[in-house]
Amino acid sequence: MNNENKNLQRALAILATHPDETEISFCSIRVMVAGQKLCPQDPDDKEVLSILMASKEFGFAVSAIEVMAEELREMQRAYDGRIELLKQMVAA
């Protein structure tokens, strides 16, 4: 069996569990889906992820991460230029 078929089977097996957006998370560079760890830097995992992206739950999960990233960046911008003050507060 070639890798393409293996990856399709892996993706279909994950989809067969009917994961919703609460079963999709991110840890470092890995995507956790229904207990499976997928690394987008691994060519086979990347292919599985590309197949999974056809599912709307994955789109919702990615959108939620984008929203959270923007919220975190906004929090970061609030402290631009104040890093020295924060370091002094921590050191105190």
Side-chain angles (χ1 to χ4, degrees), residues 10-42:
R10 288 174 60 203
L12 291 175
I14 291 169
L15 289 172
T17 68
H18 304 291
D20 62 25
E21 65 271 10
T22 64
E23 295 176 273
I24 302 166
S25 62
F26 301 85
C27 180
S28 183
I29 63 166
R30 288 187 171 75
V31 180
M32 317 292 274
V33 184
Q36 300 295 310
K37 296 177 185 176
L38 301 166
C39 178
Q41 293 179 338
D42 176 274

Side-chain angles (χ1 to χ4, degrees), residues 51-91:
I51 296 166
L52 294 177
M53 285 305 297
S55 171
K56 67 179 180 180
E57 281 77 14
F58 291 88
F60 291 147
V62 171
S63 294
I65 293 300
E66 290 169 341
V67 168
M68 177 56 67
E70 182 53 38
E71 289 176 8
L72 290 170
R73 292 291 180 207
E74 187 62 34
M75 291 176 206
Q76 182 184 36
R77 284 189 286 275
Y79 286 95
D80 278 352
R82 297 182 187 160
I83 194 68
E84 288 306 316
L85 176 62
L86 289 173
K87 286 180 183 177
Q88 291 171 3
M89 291 171 64
V90 169

